[in-house]
Amino acid sequence: MGALIWLASYPKSGNTWMRSFLHNLLRDVHEPVPLDRLDDFCLGEAFRSWAEPHASKPLDELPPQELARIRLLGQADMTKVFHDSVFVKTHNYLGLAHGYPLINMDVTAGAIYIVRNPLDVVLSARHHFNVDIDRMIGIMGSPNAGAPMNAFLMPEVFSTWSEHVRSWTAQPSPQLLVVRYEDLIADPLGQFGVVARFLGLAPPQERLERAVRLSSFVTLKALEETHGFREKPAHAPAFFREGKRDQWRDVLTPEQVARIVSAHRQQMARFGYVPEGY
């Protein structure tokens, strides 16, 4: 029985990239893992199938408090999937929902948190959620932001972008690694090497380089174009769009930048995201 290592992030901040790298590294493959096989290695916390065995009736008939309670039981079941560490993806913030924690710390060994500049997150997330930029700015500033339950997934609770980041990163811990998306872009080999060492691994350089290459944005985008990706929303043309940084400079108006900085200045400043002049 293993303990959980969370791969946590606000939506559209690099979680899938991290999942792909870890799969390619730890399974020591020589061909890129198909996108729809990522769940074989890194479990999806939000899938309803984890909670359903603990439900007294169909999930859609349960009150929110009961959904929140059995969610934790489903997370405990995840520890039985592998004998060693169990990687689990989540977009939930590290807080409460209906009086219950969203993350079961009793079965948690650690976490990797990926943070991305909200000025770029808003551009990627607006396509994912099918809203315009101004609406997405509002969502990222709402403490009630999340995703409702659907036929496959439990409800997710994001809170604001700032609260999401603060909840996961404000308390330093040896069991927590915080990685900036922008650093992964600038130095993928070095930064993914940091991830490997955090997990207690010392892979040969060739194996590390291969895992980085097999999980590159170019590779992931090509895999989606060839085979598709079930996590792509039906309305979106693609899950993997650009994979770049600082695109906001060519898209956002000064007023939109000011709104985002005003709402999130404290957490943006912690990670060097406040633009000069704001």
Side-chain angles (χ1 to χ4, degrees), residues 137-153:
I137 292 173
I139 291 171
M140 291 173 64
S142 170
N144 299 317
M149 185 162 65
N150 61 31
F152 304 101
L153 302 176

Side-chain angles (χ1 to χ4, degrees), residues 51-67:
E52 284 170 339
H54 302 282
S56 58
K57 59 178 73 172
L59 295 187
D60 302 274
E61 300 177 15
L62 295 178
Q65 293 83 356
E66 181 63 7
L67 277 178

Side-chain angles (χ1 to χ4, degrees), residues 256-277:
Q256 288 170 331
V257 174
R259 282 180 62 197
I260 294 170
V261 173
S262 176
H264 306 293
R265 180 180 298 276
Q266 184 177 15
Q267 298 304 319
M268 289 179 71
R270 289 181 61 213
F271 293 96
Y273 291 148
V274 178
E276 186 176 352

Side-chain angles (χ1 to χ4, degrees), residues 3-275:
L4 307 186
I5 298 178
W6 296 95
L7 304 184
S9 69
Y10 194 87
K12 306 307 294 181
S13 297
N15 203 303
T16 303
W17 188 9
M18 183 65 69
R19 291 156 60 202
S20 176
F21 164 74
L22 289 173
H23 190 136
N24 287 314
L25 178 72
L26 296 178
R27 295 287 174 87
D28 196 18
V29 297
H30 290 264
E31 296 292 334
V33 58
L35 295 173
D36 286 341
R37 298 295 301 275
L38 290 177
D39 292 331
D40 295 351
F41 168 80
C42 178
L43 308 182
E45 182 278 334
F47 285 119
R48 291 170 56 134
S49 55
W50 294 110
E52 284 170 339
H54 302 282
S56 58
K57 59 178 73 172
L59 295 187
D60 302 274
E61 300 177 15
L62 295 178
Q65 293 83 356
E66 181 63 7
L67 277 178
R69 184 186 73 83
I70 65 174
R71 174 179 225 133
L72 299 175
L73 301 179
Q75 291 175 13
D77 289 345
M78 295 174 191
T79 65
K80 305 170 187 175
V81 175
F82 304 118
H83 292 297
D84 49 7
S85 298
V86 180
F87 292 91
V88 185
K89 167 197 170 181
T90 186
H91 288 314
N92 285 318
Y93 89 115
L94 187 58
L96 301 176
H98 307 288
Y100 290 90
L102 286 159
I103 304 297
N104 188 340
M105 297 304 292
D106 290 339
V107 295
T108 293
I112 298 171
Y113 186 84
I114 309 105
V115 60
R116 185 183 187 187
N117 190 337
L119 297 169
D120 281 326
V121 171
V122 72
L123 299 182
S124 187
R126 58 127 173 196
H127 292 285
H128 190 77
F129 292 106
N130 198 28
V131 296
D132 63 26
I133 290 175
D134 288 314
R135 173 65 179 138
M136 194 66 226
I137 292 173
I139 291 171
M140 291 173 64
S142 170
N144 299 317
M149 185 162 65
N150 61 31
F152 304 101
L153 302 176
M154 294 279 282
E156 295 178 280
V157 185
F158 311 147
S159 191
T160 68
W161 178 87
S162 285
E163 178 58 17
H164 198 290
V165 173
R166 187 210 64 77
S167 70
W168 279 100
T169 69
Q171 190 81 20
S173 166
Q175 285 74 48
L176 170 69
L177 176 67
V178 181
V179 183
R180 292 197 332 155
Y181 181 89
E182 296 74 20
D183 296 333
L184 291 173
I185 291 176
D187 181 19
L189 193 60
Q191 290 299 307
F192 280 119
V194 170
V195 172
R197 290 191 293 276
F198 169 75
L199 297 172
L201 305 173
Q205 186 70 9
E206 188 277 333
R207 179 173 173 178
L208 178 63
E209 291 175 354
R210 185 172 68 248
V212 170
R213 183 176 67 255
L214 293 179
S215 58
S216 70
F217 186 85
V218 171
T219 300
L220 296 176
K221 189 171 180 65
L223 285 170
E224 182 184 11
E225 290 173 351
T226 304
H227 303 291
F229 187 23
R230 65 186 175 210
E231 293 184 24
K232 180 189 78 67
H235 57 262
F239 185 93
F240 298 100
R241 294 180 54 256
E242 300 289 343
K244 299 177 181 177
R245 59 172 296 175
D246 293 335
Q247 289 189 298
W248 64 268
R249 296 184 185 277
D250 299 321
V251 180
L252 298 182
T253 67
E255 292 76 17
Q256 288 170 331
V257 174
R259 282 180 62 197
I260 294 170
V261 173
S262 176
H264 306 293
R265 180 180 298 276
Q266 184 177 15
Q267 298 304 319
M268 289 179 71
R270 289 181 61 213
F271 293 96
Y273 291 148
V274 178

